[in-house]
Amino acid sequence: AAKGEREQLRPTSPVKINADRAEWQKGGSMVYTGNVRLESGDLKLSGDRLNLTQFDNGEFEAKVDGKPAKLDHAGLAAAGTRGDERPPVTARASTLTYDSRNDIVEVAGDALLTRGTDEIRGQNIRYDVTERRIEAQGKEGCEGASTKAGCQVEIVIQPPPRKGKTEGGAAAPSPGKAASNP
Amino acid sequence: MNRLVVPGIAVLLLALAFFGFRGEDSPSEGNATTSEQPRYVLRGAEWSSFNENGVLEFQGSATNIDYFDDESARLRTFALSVFGAKGAPWTATAPEGYSPPGQRERLQLLGGVEGKGRWPDGEEMVFSTPQLWVDTKAETITTDEKVDLKSKSRTASARGLKVTGPKQEMSLLHEVEMHYVPR
């Protein structure tokens, strides 16, 4: 989306954070611990610990750690901004870092992201909340490694159900598996 | 206005134009933990407390102070200002105040406290809680009850609060909910 349109799409709803405890030192970020949940519009992040750094203009960066940290971004019905349906997106990883200035979530550490029924695995996945766009990257330093396990991005795309397929019809064709080098 | 100046070193210096003696209707009568009568009953009083180096620890005013022999005090309509020396002052008001025996540096505000302070990043905020402890020696403000904090860009609620003055450190102890309002 063009910059102006992107600005318009970007959520400006209030942000709510719940946690067992919060600590804040002068000149430091606010640290929330225990059952942490962040909600901003239809985006939800949860985990064990959240470091929130606020910037002067009220924007913020929230770094969520967990076992795993989770992201849930509600889907949009067919009447979505683009007219097409936008499936819900979820993510699981060791760390999620959400920057409200560009509305991007960095999903890092054994990352698994789902978009509807599709699955994307990789070391680092970048999710653009406004555009609902996903960029994934494998592990660095894997060139020449004997095994590619864990090095590459893996995407499992479920084919959409065939139109007019009756209940219990022939099994859908096996999901396409794609892998790309980092 | 009666002034009760309390230096850190033992002697209690009273600078009073007028004070009431026993037998006056004092707030401690009905519910006082100490059955004895107050040594002094002060009306329209100011309370300033200084540490050993003569630095002002806190300033308070009350419509009524009952000061007892065990160095405890009961105050009514109590307003208090702390951390004035280093950080920007925190202020609090409450219908009642209490200072335990021999612990002049500790003050409890009771009956619904309304106060002003600052988030660690300096933004001014107002807070309210049923009761509050102020320790002017440890320079801490604490409560273990529900507390609501409100400023232009944030509102928070929690059960339990601890603020350490000099380091401007704040802890919300349990059941934290924070709302950030986008600017």
Side-chain angles (χ1 to χ4, degrees):
Chain A
K3 189 167 190 328
E5 188 193 350
R6 182 181 174 75
E7 243 352 87
Q8 260 180 4
L9 283 171
R10 214 152 63 76
T12 54
S13 36
V15 177
K16 182 175 87 161
I17 297 177
N18 290 81
D20 292 345
R21 189 181 172 98
E23 314 261 347
W24 190 358
Q25 258 193 9
K26 184 179 176 114
S29 57
M30 189 145 192
V31 179
Y32 295 86
T33 50
N35 301 303
V36 181
R37 297 188 316 280
L38 178 149
E39 291 175 32
S40 175
D42 50 17
L43 177 70
K44 292 187 171 77
L45 305 180
S46 59
D48 304 325
R49 180 188 170 92
L50 186 153
N51 268 43
L52 191 106
T53 305
Q54 228 179 332
F55 307 111
D56 289 342
N57 57 5
E59 302 284 4
F60 64 90
E61 178 187 86
K63 179 172 176 288
V64 182
D65 297 304
K67 299 182 199 68
K70 295 177 185 169
L71 171 148
D72 290 282
H73 190 203
L76 286 178
T81 50
R82 294 281 170 83
D84 52 352
E85 189 204 341
R86 317 307 288 291
V89 171
T90 72
R92 303 284 181 270
S94 316
T95 303
L96 301 170
T97 306
Y98 173 54
D99 192 328
S100 76
R101 293 171 294 185
N102 53 23
D103 210 28
I104 288 197
V105 181
E106 302 283 354
V107 184
D110 298 329
L112 162 65
L113 185 141
T114 68
R115 181 181 181 279
T117 54
D118 299 347
E119 283 187 6
I120 298 108
R121 291 175 191 275
Q123 272 312 306
N124 294 292
I125 299 176
R126 174 178 251 238
Y127 176 53
D128 184 321
V129 179
T130 303
E131 306 263 347
R132 292 174 174 263
R133 201 163 37 109
I134 299 153
E135 292 168 31
Q137 188 184 330
K139 196 184 267 183
E140 272 150 29
C142 266
E143 297 73 15
S146 57
T147 153
K148 296 291 183 188
C151 279
Q152 296 177 315
V153 174
E154 181 185 293
I155 301 178
V156 177
I157 301 166
Q158 301 288 354
R162 285 277 166 70
K163 293 230 168 22
K165 168 74 49 197
T166 54
E167 230 18 7
S174 70
K177 206 171 200 180
S180 74
N181 287 323
Chain B
M1 174 61 77
N2 307 314
R3 283 169 44 76
L4 168 65
V5 181
V6 180
I9 356 161
V11 174
L12 168 64
L13 177 69
L14 298 187
L16 298 175
F18 167 77
F19 53 83
F21 282 94
R22 287 176 184 69
E24 295 271 354
D25 163 35
S26 75
S28 62
E29 248 145 34
N31 54 19
T33 52
T34 53
S35 57
E36 49 167 321
Q37 287 302 316
R39 183 193 305 178
Y40 303 114
V41 174
L42 300 91
R43 295 274 180 278
E46 273 180 37
W47 178 339
S48 305
S49 178
F50 299 84
N51 65 17
E52 297 77 41
N53 311 314
V55 174
L56 179 66
E57 285 180 326
F58 78 83
Q59 251 174 346
S61 64
T63 57
N64 209 94
I65 297 182
D66 283 359
Y67 194 80
F68 295 87
D69 287 337
D70 62 3
E71 292 184 47
S72 70
R74 287 197 168 283
L75 307 94
R76 216 191 276 168
T77 322
F78 184 36
L80 177 68
S81 171
V82 280
F83 307 155
K86 295 191 184 86
W90 284 58
T91 62
T93 61
E96 290 179 57
Y98 170 66
S99 179
Q103 298 182 58
R104 188 178 305 133
E105 72 283 1
R106 294 186 69 234
L107 295 150
Q108 183 182 25
L109 287 84
L110 298 149
V113 183
E114 302 288 334
K116 275 192 189 146
R118 288 170 187 277
W119 297 102
D121 66 358
E123 183 184 22
E124 286 183 5
M125 51 95 152
V126 293
F127 64 90
S128 59
T129 182
Q131 62 93 9
L132 193 72
W133 275 101
V134 177
D135 188 320
T136 59
K137 202 150 289 293
E139 297 199 81
T140 59
I141 290 179
T142 55
T143 183
D144 50 16
E145 299 206 30
K146 185 166 190 310
V147 59
D148 293 300
L149 308 98
K150 194 173 173 51
S151 66
K152 227 173 99 188
S153 73
R154 305 173 189 100
T155 61
S157 67
R159 185 168 53 79
L161 166 74
K162 179 176 183 182
V163 177
T164 308
K167 286 187 279 179
Q168 304 279 306
E169 209 172 79
M170 174 185 286
S171 301
L172 298 172
L173 304 178
H174 308 285
E175 298 159 27
V176 178
E177 177 158 317
M178 175 78 88
H179 292 260
Y180 293 88
V181 181
R183 287 183 207 153

